[in-house]
Amino acid sequence: MSAAVELRGIGKSFGETRILEEIDLAAAQGEFIALVGPSGCGKSTLLRIIAGLEQADEGAIALDGRDVTGLRAADRDMAMVFQSYALYPHLTARQNMMLPLAMRRLNATQRLPLVGRFLGSARSILEEMARDVEQAAATLKISALLDRKPAQMSGGQRQRVALGRALVRRPQAFLMDEPLSNLDASLRVHMRAEIVELHRRAGVVTIYVTHDQEEALGMADRVAVMMNGRILQIADPMTIYREPAHLDVACFIGSPRINLLPLTIDAAGRGICGGQVLVERANAAQGERVTLGVRPETLVVHAEPQALSLKVAVTRFEFLGSDALLHARAAGLDAPLIAKLTPAMATLLQHHGELHVSAAPEACLLFDADGQRIAGTQTSALPASFGRASHAA
Amino acid sequence: MLRDGPLREDLMPEVLPPEDLPPRGAPRDAARGEIDRHEARAAWLLSLPTLVLMLLLLVLPCAALVALSLTDAELGVPEMHFLGLDAYLNLLTDRDFIRSFRNTAVYVGLVTPASVVLGLVLALLIEAGTDLRAFFRSVFFLPVVALTVAMASVWQYLMHPSFGPINLMLKLVGLPSVNWLGSSDIVLPALALIGIWQAVGFNMVLFLAGLAGINRDLYAAAEMDGARSAWSRFWTVTWPMLGPTTLFVVTITVINAVKVFETVATLTQGGPAKSSDVLLWTIYQEGFVYLHVGTASAMAVVFIVVLMALLLVQTRILERKVHYT
């Protein structure tokens, strides 16, 4: 079966500025793909190119094996949900959801006000359209809102109408451009689940742009991390988190941020930070500049010095309920280190002014001077089933 | 602005909690009432200067106008008589007044639709273009900033029956020349042409501002929804979103057209044979040439009432249909 959406070598410039570079992406039928990255990384532009609202300078786009590169948005049979919802403010929710159906199912004369409905088969088409709208509205639980205009609805209700407008014509693909970023936090978490459920029920490929890594990891089958116009890695959420292919991916994904320690490599191939050996086998040449990344929850805290541990001065403890964060500084390092602990552990350690941290060899992520992941330092804690469909771009 | 506020609570109280909850646990006791009275007094005190100024500058002149309109006052004649409503009944039978009223209506009827549609078309063209946008914007705006009286002399030359460039061009293509400002059938359309020329630039600028305010996502949404042609995008997005702008443009254009005076005063003086007599020109003649202050005031009152009625219709009926938020 061919990919539902396939991008090959997409490139785009706005004047002198290179926005997208060599983007390859293949979304399988029914897959939920999140494009995540900091603002300005090109993810929204990429989505608009997939939609056909912008034309790429290079590369090709195929839908179900059909090349649509030259086709305009109206001919691509995709639906899009916008960050601003982009509902027509002069139309009721019902009319908003009806419009994409009218544009596709009725011809120009049938769309004329008043007279149109008496022409040809318009009446039966109109009835069918009304039924489809009612059905989509029922799915989204907005049947009671159908006769309101957008101005009379809350943000969450408008969001649902926007989803309904995309859902109602059963497109080949859903494109969503940060659809939840205008909602408040609790509603956002709730809508995440609803969108995933809608996606599952519709069984149609969804490409979802977000700057929120939590959304991306929580909703998507696969996450594409974009930075500076490139896709740095496409993989399932667990792989993205545990096996980042690039230092930028490691930094962008994960909260609190991954701890970074600059290492120097000695003659024996050991990684040294602040005069202390932290990594026994770094897989790098002597003198090379290597960065060690350790997730806050894999940073191990000791009261006494251990082998492969680094002495740190405690800045403060932060209690967050289910867990606690230790903020500390190591001599000669600019960035503070953060360790995620159980509250019990934090209580035990909270009167120490000085602690020692280390990382298990399998939790150490090493990156070379260009930010590329150094092979041979794979984490081993991963169950085999999580490795599916992952590849670094 | 939410105009249909009450609708929310009637329909869906459990989905949308009412936004304006009464203050919780505020007993309306004597102390509270005292504070309210105090605040009311302060509010009146604070708005007093404005109220006095409004009374002096806006209400009193209008009241004086209405008072004068009910008399047969003439400048320089010491005695005047109270006519009451007869003053207005006289106007109804005054053929000059009725003619100038009708002429003004014709003029407004020509200028408003033409300059609104042309202004919109120009704005759409400039918006769609890529180069020279600032240039076209400035050029079409020139008539707005040009002094009408000065430009009238240019138009007088252009429309001159024997050596005016317009007639020379007509002759060049073999058409008969037209006595633009001297023929009683043509003079109103000719004046309207100048009025359109004046109003188009301003309307265009207003429409450009309106176009700039349209959320670009709406066009993207319309495209995704299947609006293929510029025509259907215009009717799906541009036209409804320009509703408030269009209402404003029409209002401004009507007001300005009803107030036409400079071109009439400089080019035709109401002629030939009063065929370009318009309201302001008639009022001016009555009041300042024949010094019939009473009659002029009555005409002015009718003028204001008609204008107010037009505005009221526009704001009350149409505004509800064009403001969506």
Side-chain angles (χ1 to χ4, degrees), chain B residues 200-212:
Chain B
V200 160
F202 192 52
N203 293 350
M204 173 206 69
V205 167
L206 292 175
F207 275 123
L208 275 176
L211 286 173

Side-chain angles (χ1 to χ4, degrees), chain B residues 53-312:
Chain B
L53 280 176
M54 277 171 68
L55 203 71
L56 279 176
L57 298 177
L58 301 173
V59 179
L60 274 183
C62 284
L65 185 76
V66 173
L68 274 175
S69 76
L70 300 172
T71 69
D72 65 348
E74 280 184 46
L75 211 63
V77 177
E79 59 190 77
M80 58 175 171
H81 308 96
F82 181 78
L83 296 181
L85 284 178
D86 282 348
Y88 290 93
L89 292 175
N90 288 346
L91 281 186
L92 279 180
T93 53
D94 182 341
R95 280 174 56 202
D96 285 352
F97 177 74
I98 289 171
R99 179 170 35 224
S100 79
F101 196 97
R102 206 191 53 221
N103 284 345
T104 309
V106 170
Y107 179 85
V108 171
L110 288 173
V111 169
T112 307
S115 66
V116 170
V117 170
L118 275 176
L120 177 59
V121 168
L122 280 180
L124 288 172
L125 287 177
I126 289 175
E127 176 82 0
T130 46
D131 296 327
L132 297 174
R133 287 164 66 153
F135 171 75
F136 284 120
R137 212 164 41 216
S138 321
V139 166
F140 287 113
F141 197 66
L142 270 181
V144 183
V145 288
L147 291 171
T148 313
V149 175
M151 295 315 288
S153 62
V154 175
W155 279 102
Q156 190 166 36
Y157 162 66
L158 286 172
M159 291 180 164
H160 193 279
S162 43
F163 58 78
I166 299 181
N167 274 351
L168 289 182
M169 275 191 275
L170 286 179
K171 210 179 286 174
L172 214 62
V173 294
L175 289 170
S177 56
V178 179
N179 191 357
W180 293 102
L181 298 170
S183 140
S184 52
D185 295 334
I186 301 295
V187 66
L188 264 186
L191 287 174
L193 196 70
I194 304 177
I196 294 165
W197 172 81
Q198 279 182 308
V200 160
F202 192 52
N203 293 350
M204 173 206 69
V205 167
L206 292 175
F207 275 123
L208 275 176
L211 286 173
I214 299 179
N215 179 1
R216 311 310 297 175
D217 277 354
L218 282 176
Y219 287 105
E223 170 82 31
M224 296 301 293
D225 285 344
R228 283 181 182 75
S229 59
W231 180 254
S232 63
R233 271 197 304 279
F234 177 80
W235 290 113
T236 312
V237 179
T238 314
W239 179 248
M241 297 317 289
L242 279 182
T245 311
T246 311
L247 178 68
F248 181 68
V249 168
V250 169
T251 309
I252 290 284
T253 314
V254 166
I255 291 176
N256 281 335
V258 170
K259 293 197 309 196
V260 60
F261 179 74
E262 286 111 318
T263 45
V264 174
T266 49
L267 293 176
T268 68
Q269 312 234 310
K274 302 204 176 223
S275 55
S276 65
D277 232 350
V278 291
L279 274 179
L280 267 195
W281 176 250
T282 310
I283 294 174
Y284 165 76
Q285 292 265 305
E286 280 298 321
F288 294 91
V289 179
Y290 308 128
L291 305 179
H292 296 155
V293 178
T295 318
S297 301
M299 290 178 176
V301 169
V302 172
F303 179 82
I304 292 173
V305 167
V306 167
L307 212 54
M308 296 274 270
L310 278 176
L311 293 185
L312 211 67

Side-chain angles (χ1 to χ4, degrees), chain A residues 4-340:
Chain A
V5 177
E6 190 177 4
L7 309 179
R8 284 186 303 270
I10 297 289
K12 173 86 180 166
S13 304
F14 285 140
E16 294 290 290
T17 326
R18 198 79 180 134
I19 300 292
L20 293 173
E21 188 87 68
E22 283 290 308
I23 301 282
D24 293 306
L25 178 73
Q29 303 288 350
E31 198 174 20
F32 193 124
I33 294 217
L35 299 177
V36 65
S39 51
C41 72
K43 54 191 192 297
S44 284
T45 308
L46 182 60
L47 193 75
R48 292 175 70 87
I49 286 176
I50 298 173
L53 295 169
E54 308 254 4
Q55 291 299 319
D57 297 334
E58 303 116 43
I61 304 167
L63 278 186
D64 279 327
R66 179 175 66 115
D67 183 51
V68 296
T69 314
L71 284 187
R72 55 185 300 180
D75 298 324
R76 285 193 187 181
D77 196 23
M78 300 194 224
M80 188 152 165
V81 179
F82 296 84
Q83 184 178 0
S84 65
Y85 313 138
L87 296 175
Y88 308 109
H90 59 294
L91 301 180
T92 62
R94 186 193 308 278
Q95 291 165 325
N96 263 287
M97 290 167 67
M98 195 85 93
L99 195 121
L101 298 180
M103 286 288 177
R104 275 154 213 277
R105 295 187 193 172
L106 299 174
N107 59 35
T109 40
Q110 286 172 329
R111 282 204 300 271
L112 286 177
L114 299 175
V115 275
R117 63 185 63 212
F118 302 110
L119 293 174
S121 54
R123 184 180 289 273
S124 69
I125 300 178
L126 278 172
E127 279 165 9
E128 191 186 302
M129 279 163 46
R131 256 200 316 278
D132 288 353
V133 168
E134 295 282 352
Q135 200 186 340
T139 312
L140 287 158
K141 305 182 198 79
I142 49 171
S143 302
L145 303 173
L146 279 179
D147 292 313
R148 289 199 207 179
K149 290 189 175 171
Q152 299 164 300
M153 289 186 259
S154 68
Q157 292 168 334
R158 283 179 222 178
Q159 167 73 69
R160 281 166 187 275
V161 176
L163 282 170
R165 185 174 62 175
L167 199 70
V168 71
R169 45 171 256 251
R170 301 191 194 95
Q172 265 186 296
F174 286 120
L175 308 176
M176 306 203 184
D177 189 2
E178 310 220 10
L180 303 184
S181 57
N182 284 343
L183 300 179
D184 62 60
S186 64
L187 195 54
R188 198 150 57 208
V189 173
H190 176 74
M191 283 308 287
R192 264 190 226 167
E194 287 217 20
I195 290 180
V196 169
E197 174 63 20
L198 284 176
H199 160 79
R200 204 183 55 72
R201 245 193 278 177
V204 166
V205 65
T206 299
I207 298 182
Y208 186 103
V209 162
T210 177
H211 65 269
D212 183 342
Q213 43 142 332
E214 223 179 280
E215 249 172 60
L217 295 178
M219 296 171 79
D221 298 323
R222 281 198 294 152
V223 177
V225 182
M226 289 187 67
M227 231 155 278
N228 300 320
R230 288 172 182 279
I231 293 183
L232 292 181
Q233 188 174 9
I234 310 177
D236 63 280
M238 194 63 97
T239 308
I240 289 276
Y241 187 75
R242 296 209 174 172
E243 306 271 2
H246 195 278
L247 184 60
D248 290 342
V249 177
C251 288
F252 186 75
I253 301 290
S255 172
R257 228 174 82 120
I258 194 167
N259 297 298
L260 299 180
L261 297 145
L263 296 185
T264 48
I265 307 299
D266 71 1
R270 299 180 302 175
I272 296 169
C273 178
Q276 187 62 48
V277 177
L278 291 185
V279 178
E280 278 286 11
R281 233 163 34 79
N283 250 355
Q286 186 184 1
E288 211 179 319
R289 285 194 301 127
V290 168
T291 306
L292 166 65
V294 186
R295 295 279 180 204
E297 67 274 16
T298 54
L299 200 64
V300 189
V301 182
H302 317 273
E304 299 297 326
Q306 308 275 320
L308 305 179
S309 76
L310 184 67
K311 190 173 85 173
V312 294
V314 175
T315 322
R316 67 195 176 96
F317 280 93
E318 196 179 343
F319 285 92
L320 300 173
S322 58
D323 29 51
L325 299 181
L326 160 67
H327 297 257
R329 276 182 185 282
L333 282 184
D334 293 337
L337 295 176
I338 297 177
K340 198 185 248 185

